[in-house]
Structure formats: C-alpha cells, structure tokens
Amino acid sequence: MQNYFNYFTEIEERFQQRRGALLLLSTLDWALIETWRDAGIPLDAALRGIDAAFDKYEARQKRGHMRRVNGLAWCAQAVMEAAEELREAATGTAPAAREERDSGFEHERVAAHLETAADALASSTIAPQACTATAARLRELAAGVRASTEKNESAQDLEALERTLTVLEEKLFAALTAAAPEELLVGLKVHAARELAPYRSRMGVVQLRQVEHQFVTKQLLVHYGLPRLSLFYMSQQ
C-alpha cells in the first residue's frame, strides 16, 4: 500500500497546510483518520477530499465572512466522495505498479516501540491478566523483528505485523471495557457524542458509530495511561 505508514502524518500535514494555521489534531480527528484507514480509504482519496472541502470553503469565503475550519470532520463528506470517485475510476483498470517509498520504519525502532508498549502494560493495575499477556506477546514480536533485521523484509511484513497488533489491541480494549467502571464508559460516550455533534450532518450513521468507537477506545487507554500498539503511533524520533 502506497505511503502505508505515512497515512496519519500526511493527512495531518495536508489539513494544516490548507487551513493556513497550525492546529493540532484532536482525539476526534485521530479517531476519524483511523476509521478511514480501517475502511480502506486510500491516502490519495483522503488528501483529495481535504483539498475539495477547502476549495469549496474558500469559494464561499470570498462571498462573505465564514468561521475558520476547526476540525478534520468538516472534510469527512468530501473524503468519502473522493474515495467513491477513485473506486469508479479504477473499475476495469489494471492495478497500477506500487511506488516504493522509504517508510522510515527501521526494524530497531519498531522493536523499541513494541518493548516500550510492553513495559507500560506490564506495570498496569487495570485488567492485569490481559495486560500481562499482551506485554509478553509484544516482547515476542519485538524479538522476531530484531531477528529479521538481516533479512531485509519488506513493507508487506510490517503490514502483517500491524494486523497482529490490531488484533491484540482489540482484545486488550475488550478486557479494559469489561474491567472499567460503568460511569467511566458512560462519561466517555457522552463526551464523544458532544464532540461529534457539530459534524453529524457530514457523516453517515455507520461512520459516526465507527468514530465514536475509536474515540472511546483512545480515551479509555489515555485514562489508564496505556499505549496504542499500532505502528501508526510509533515515535518518529
């Protein structure tokens, strides 16, 4: 997948560039990007949709004062339209050759990311059995990554690792949800609904539910001081 590991950062950079001022993405924005990624929305479609949304915004702005765009969700409808246009354009065409790019995901940094996550989970007091088991599995994966350093493995191998991490994260979230107090979970859902309220007209029901789920997942992990396992959250330093 082209730019597979740059998905988050390129969307963030394009949004900031078109907005014309630095604005750190919110938890809601990151949750929305995750739903696009999980739905298989190509990076090119996301970037085209952002451009299309801002092109329309700028055209309207010339006719009168408009409020500044303060959230990526404002572009959601345009991104879905761009994705559909790309699908229609690709119908009946041969797959294009993949452009090889340096993902920047050196094996040692991947292994360090897994071990850092394992250390955080090992010291957790919430859902200790699940956290301990996940930590042990992450250390196994880190050892495997280091062992493969000399094999010059491709981005496809990292995508396979990412799928494994997705499964581990889903299982961990299920354990955390079962262990978390009811009032905490209710509060997170209320928070998500409040954050999503201004954008409901720009997203379909399914997308709204997906974004809410991602939002609650991220906030629950933040509440307990636990890391995201996905390589998309790996430090770029």
Side-chain angles (χ1 to χ4, degrees), residues 186-203:
V186 171
L188 292 178
K189 286 184 175 293
V190 170
H191 186 190
R194 185 167 57 249
E195 293 289 322
L196 282 165
Y199 308 105
R200 288 189 177 277
S201 63
R202 293 183 173 273
M203 289 187 249

Side-chain angles (χ1 to χ4, degrees), residues 120-132:
L121 288 168
S123 62
S124 174
T125 57
I126 182 73
Q129 184 174 358
C131 287
T132 299

